[in-house]
Amino acid sequence: MKVSDLVDELGLTVYSGAKGLDREITGGYVSDLLSDVMGNSREGQVWITLQVHQNVMAIASLKDLAAVVLVNNFQPHENTIRHSNDENIPVLGTCLPTFEITGKFYQLFKQ
Amino acid sequence: MKLTFSIQGSDFTHAGYPSSEVKKVLKQLDIDGKTIKKIVIALYEAEVNVVAHAWKGTATIEIEENKISMLLEDEGPGIPDIDLAMQAGYSTASKEVRDMGFGAGMGLPNMKKNSDELIIESEVGKGTKVKMVNYF
């Protein structure tokens, strides 16, 4: 599954990093604690979070994550968008809360 | 090869820059991917600790044939009880830092888990020295 498939299937907003939409997804990680994501996420995962500042992109890039999904209609900071475009790692958005978007993603991914 | 970076306290906008540069160099040197991942986690956490707690600091990275040595020296409040600081979940981070998703007391445990050697020396009111070594 590619990031673009996730965008289409779940109706996600693409805020930035559109050049990375063809990244392959290996799974997902859900956390708002940055050290948790730093320590435990794996390459190619989609990270679902409510954190919107640019350190999110530093971690996504260092960990080679496939994309970041912001929940609850949270908007990325300007620096986050810039970093996302530089690294070609998409920042996506949904109006759904974490529980619901994670459930939908999980179901889709396990198909 | 030696790389030196200066780190400014409270400047979260540049946190991760040294780690990112080191990652690029290690990739060019064709170091094993798993080893790079561990080094990047350990260095990033050490960087964030300087940004979150200290006034300023430096990261000196030395890459040799069989190992990487990472020395982070800061001028800051220091750590009164290192054993306590090493405990998972223990943190003295400010509310502001916690709101960003840092300061969950996972940084030092992440550094220990992902480095082959970790030495911490600290003097209260002066600063902290962290040395980490990873072998290739």
Side-chain angles (χ1 to χ4, degrees), chain A residues 28-41 45-52 56 59 65 68-71 98 102, chain B residues 100-102 104 106:
Chain A
Y29 201 78
V30 183
S31 182
D32 302 319
L33 293 178
L34 273 60
S35 285
D36 175 34
V37 181
M38 199 62 211
N40 299 316
S41 67
Q45 287 181 333
V46 171
W47 174 16
I48 299 174
T49 184
L50 53 69
Q51 298 288 355
V52 296
V56 166
I59 288 173
L65 302 182
V68 177
V69 179
L70 306 181
V71 299
T98 306
T102 303
Chain B
M100 290 176 80
F102 294 113
M106 299 176 77

Side-chain angles (χ1 to χ4, degrees), chain B residues 36-103:
Chain B
I36 295 180
K37 285 189 172 77
K38 291 180 75 172
I39 293 165
V40 165
I41 293 171
L43 181 56
Y44 180 78
E45 294 289 6
E47 262 187 68
V48 167
N49 276 347
V50 175
V51 175
H53 297 284
W55 306 309
K56 62 176 182 175
T58 53
T60 310
I61 316 297
E62 219 171 333
I63 302 170
E64 292 164 81
E65 206 175 321
N66 66 331
K67 67 174 182 180
I68 179 169
S69 309
M70 299 170 271
L71 178 65
L72 289 102
E73 295 172 283
D74 72 51
E75 292 172 29
I79 306 171
D81 185 340
I82 293 174
D83 287 339
L84 183 60
M86 289 303 298
Q87 283 181 21
Y90 180 82
S91 177
T92 57
S94 66
K95 183 184 179 298
E96 194 189 5
V97 168
R98 285 171 197 258
D99 284 348
M100 290 176 80
F102 294 113

